[in-house]
Amino acid sequence: MVASLRSWVANEGGKHFVLGWISILGCVCVCVCVDPVAGGEHLALYEDLPAVLHWTAVSLPVQDAGGMCISRASASVLNLNCSLVLLPMCRSLLTFVRGTHAVSSRETRRLLDKSKTFHVACGVSICIFSVVHVSAHLVNVVNFSVSYSDDFPALNLARYKGEDPKLIILTTIPGVTGLFLVLILFLMFTSSSYCVRLFNYEIFWYTHNLFIVFYIILMVHMVGGALKYQTNIEAHPPGCLTANQSSTSQRREDEERRCGEEAHFQPHYPQTWLWVSGPLCLYCAERFYRYIRSSDPVTIVTVIRHPCDVVELRMLKKNFKARPGQYVVLNCPGVSSFENHPFTLTTCPTEKKETFGIHLRVVGDWTERFTQMLLPQPRMDLEILPMVQQRRYPKDGWTGFRLQRLYFVWVCRELQSFYWFSELLCALHHKLWQENRPDYFNLKLYVSQKDNLQSMSEEKYRPLTSRLLVGRPRWKLLFDEIGKTNKHKRVGVFCCGPKGISKTLHKLCNSARSSGTTFEFNKESFG
């Protein structure tokens, strides 16, 4: 049970952190809604809005004043989310923080790896509370129109009684900017769906860059002053009446409630820029730093075409340092100046070899155009000369590695896909046998498509042929076998594949086992 609890905390901690974040937002809403009760500067607006804002001592029903209360509370939540949604996208900053000695715990690093999840959570919160905010203001606009009075015209957005609410929206700064914000947010939200990103990633990328326009309009949104407060609360306390607000028969009973000074109101000072200016400047500095780093030229040393539309790139860049497991972001101005696509590093630079490499599969418009630039169609009038490519693999020592054993399970639909890394896997196999470490690397290859199945008959691929299996892995049996071999130890599970396999492995990592082994699930995610 202890091992199962450790696995559950390690694998589900990020999810419940997001749930805790949503709970915090709910608490912010409640606090902001309760705040008007403590201060009198908003009582005229909150208590008397639907009653033509008459300055009476009679409180109106709660649901009448709820529109302004909810709109103000949701605005506070939106400011908080809009200030934090950019921070998870500061990749260079997160990489620096993750690599510092101050962040030493594995749990903290795993939490930083969930930065994209936190970004999505903030984005969803912005969409949800935007709906709440807009709905509340629609109620407020109707109340402003229906309940207009000449007693406090400065407190009302409407210019006369019964003014069309649509006209109020289209002729005020909060209304017009609100419409543009809703439109931009709708485009960003719909284009972020999985089906749109899968069908056309460029739509997602270009609409997501509308966040710059979104933040500019957001900081202008509060200029109109839809929410106002009283400035002379001491000279004109809530409930007091001016000379023209009572009839002759009521003068005696209202004499004590009279005051000689009119109530003065003014809009709140715009505070949205105070929330978003810091993270926005930090993000702009991050993007500028990335631009400076990307300005250094990258030399493509080798381009290799593999089966199943896979292309391998070997590149060289000055002062480039990376660690296994990291990814790089490619930008090709010849294809698109604004698009950036992440790819996992499959070859890292070493002390003896400065080149690094990636494998990319041609599955979209960008990769297709990029591949055509790298490997153009040969012209018939040119002489084609064969190019001999020699691969050299790094000879790193094993000192300093805490990894005790590596289980590598690779599932492919076609046998040709195994040729992508066949030479690297065979070289690693021979290296371990020469160093008398044959049990360090446990390799299992599964080919799921049984039709027209062939074998890797070449002699140099014999280490792979003996480990090639037909069908799909029986994950539960595989986990039980690893658990029995590594009793009461911590095993990291790293998955890069479709959602079906990820869901299965995630579930198995959380299940309890008699061996007491803790399985920590990790899925490749490009933050």
Side-chain angles (χ1 to χ4, degrees):
M1 292 298 295
V2 176
S4 178
L5 181 61
R6 288 201 303 263
S7 299
W8 185 88
V9 171
N11 300 325
E12 307 299 331
K15 181 192 300 183
H16 288 80
F17 174 79
V18 174
L19 295 178
W21 172 251
I22 297 176
S23 301
I24 293 175
L25 297 182
C27 294
V28 172
C29 266
V30 174
C31 293
V32 177
C33 283
V34 174
D35 176 68
V37 180
E41 65 272 10
H42 292 106
L43 287 179
L45 186 63
Y46 281 89
E47 294 185 0
D48 302 325
L49 172 65
V52 202
L53 303 175
H54 283 307
W55 205 228
T56 63
V58 180
S59 297
L60 296 171
V62 178
Q63 63 270 21
D64 294 337
M68 273 297 177
C69 178
I70 295 176
S71 62
R72 183 168 177 245
S74 57
S76 299
V77 177
L78 287 173
N79 287 334
L80 180 61
N81 279 279
C82 289
S83 65
L84 296 179
V85 71
L86 289 176
L87 296 181
M89 293 296 100
C90 298
R91 293 193 296 261
S92 300
L93 177 62
L94 292 178
T95 302
F96 173 77
V97 173
R98 194 182 187 279
T100 57
H101 295 287
V103 182
S104 57
S105 64
R106 180 169 47 247
E107 291 75 12
T108 306
R109 290 193 178 97
R110 287 169 57 83
L111 192 61
L112 290 175
D113 290 339
K114 300 294 182 180
S115 58
K116 183 179 178 181
T117 304
F118 184 74
H119 172 78
V120 174
C122 290
V124 173
S125 298
I126 291 175
C127 295
I128 293 175
F129 285 97
S130 295
V131 173
V132 176
H133 185 74
V134 171
S135 302
H137 269 313
L138 291 177
V139 175
N140 295 332
V141 169
V142 174
N143 288 333
F144 277 131
S145 175
V146 175
S147 306
Y148 180 83
S149 175
D150 294 329
D151 294 333
F152 298 98
L155 201 59
N156 202 314
L157 282 180
R159 290 176 286 270
Y160 54 86
K161 187 177 180 63
E163 184 179 6
D164 189 358
K166 295 190 292 293
L167 186 62
I168 299 176
I169 296 175
L170 296 175
T171 55
T172 57
I173 294 179
V176 175
T177 55
L179 290 177
F180 281 107
L181 290 174
V182 170
L183 177 61
I184 294 174
L185 195 61
F186 175 77
L187 293 176
M188 295 177 65
F189 178 77
T190 54
S191 63
S192 300
S193 61
Y194 176 75
C195 57
V196 174
R197 287 186 286 114
L198 184 63
F199 175 73
N200 195 321
Y201 186 84
E202 287 77 7
I203 295 177
F204 158 75
W205 176 251
Y206 287 118
T207 54
H208 230 61
N209 279 277
L210 290 174
F211 79 94
I212 302 174
V213 183
F214 179 85
Y215 276 96
I216 295 175
I217 299 177
L218 182 64
M219 288 185 282
V220 181
H221 183 60
M222 283 290 292
V223 175
L227 178 61
K228 300 179 182 181
Y229 68 98
Q230 185 179 347
T231 57
N232 57 344
I233 190 68
E234 295 180 357
H236 191 102
C240 91
L241 300 172
T242 55
N244 60 346
Q245 283 186 288
S246 62
S247 60
T248 304
S249 59
Q250 295 176 328
R251 286 182 180 178
R252 291 184 179 179
E253 61 186 61
D254 294 336
E255 190 67 30
E256 298 180 356
R257 296 166 53 200
R258 253 179 233 293
C259 57
E261 185 176 345
E262 295 283 347
H264 300 291
F265 302 95
Q266 74 177 29
H268 278 276
Y269 182 76
Q271 297 181 348
T272 301
W273 71 274
L274 296 175
W275 289 84
V276 303
S277 58
L280 191 60
C281 292
L282 183 63
Y283 181 78
C284 292
E286 155 88 9
R287 292 297 296 265
F288 181 73
Y289 171 73
R290 274 193 262 165
Y291 173 77
I292 296 299
R293 288 188 60 189
S294 63
S295 60
D296 295 333
V298 178
T299 303
I300 298 180
V301 179
T302 307
V303 180
I304 307 173
R305 183 184 291 275
H306 292 288
C308 304
D309 291 332
V310 173
V311 177
E312 179 182 356
L313 268 68
R314 296 294 179 91
M315 295 167 283
L316 182 65
K317 184 176 182 178
K318 185 179 180 181
N319 298 327
F320 178 77
K321 297 180 181 180
R323 295 179 180 180
Q326 291 185 347
Y327 66 92
V328 294
V329 180
L330 293 188
N331 178 278
C332 181
V335 178
S336 176
S337 301
F338 302 101
E339 292 186 41
N340 301 274
H341 295 271
F343 294 93
T344 304
L345 281 178
T346 53
T347 305
C348 290
T350 60
E351 295 180 356
K352 299 181 179 180
K353 185 178 181 183
E354 297 181 353
T355 59
F356 60 95
I358 63 169
H359 284 66
L360 62 91
R361 191 166 189 176
V362 184
V363 292
D365 297 337
W366 189 90
T367 53
E368 183 176 356
R369 296 195 299 267
F370 184 54
T371 305
Q372 290 176 356
M373 292 187 63
L374 296 175
L375 300 171
Q377 295 295 330
R379 293 171 52 185
M380 300 301 297
D381 57 343
L382 295 179
E383 182 180 2
I384 305 300
L385 298 177
M387 182 174 58
V388 179
Q389 299 165 347
Q390 181 181 4
R391 297 189 181 187
R392 296 179 180 178
Y393 299 98
K395 299 181 179 180
D396 299 336
W398 298 103
T399 59
F401 284 90
R402 297 178 59 186
L403 190 64
Q404 299 179 2
R405 186 171 297 170
L406 176 63
Y407 297 87
F408 184 76
V409 182
W410 191 6
V411 186
C412 291
R413 183 178 302 174
E414 302 173 348
L415 182 66
Q416 290 78 8
S417 300
F418 293 115
Y419 286 98
W420 303 345
F421 300 99
S422 57
E423 296 183 13
L424 177 61
L425 294 176
C426 291
L428 180 59
H429 172 78
H430 292 305
K431 178 181 177 65
L432 293 174
W433 272 87
Q434 291 175 0
E435 297 181 358
N436 196 22
R437 296 168 59 94
D439 296 333
Y440 179 84
F441 185 54
N442 190 306
L443 176 64
K444 294 181 182 295
L445 306 178
Y446 292 87
V447 55
S448 59
Q449 190 174 6
K450 302 179 181 179
D451 299 336
N452 300 324
L453 184 62
Q454 299 177 356
S455 61
M456 305 175 75
S457 56
E458 295 86 343
E459 178 64 24
K460 61 180 179 179
Y461 297 140
R462 187 174 63 179
L464 304 184
T465 306
S466 60
R467 291 161 176 81
L468 184 63
L469 303 173
V470 180
R472 298 181 180 275
R474 302 176 66 179
W475 295 112
K476 188 177 184 306
L477 296 179
L478 184 60
F479 270 69
D480 293 338
E481 177 185 347
I482 297 176
K484 294 177 180 178
T485 309
N486 304 272
K487 290 185 178 181
H488 305 288
K489 293 183 179 180
R490 191 183 299 270
V491 178
V493 180
F494 300 87
C495 175
C496 177
K499 287 187 176 181
I501 295 180
S502 300
K503 186 176 181 180
T504 302
L505 296 180
H506 196 170
K507 185 177 179 181
L508 287 172
C509 287
N510 292 337
S511 60
R513 286 176 181 81
S514 58
S515 59
T517 306
T518 301
F519 289 90
E520 293 184 355
F521 178 77
N522 301 270
K523 187 179 186 302
E524 185 179 40
S525 176
F526 299 123

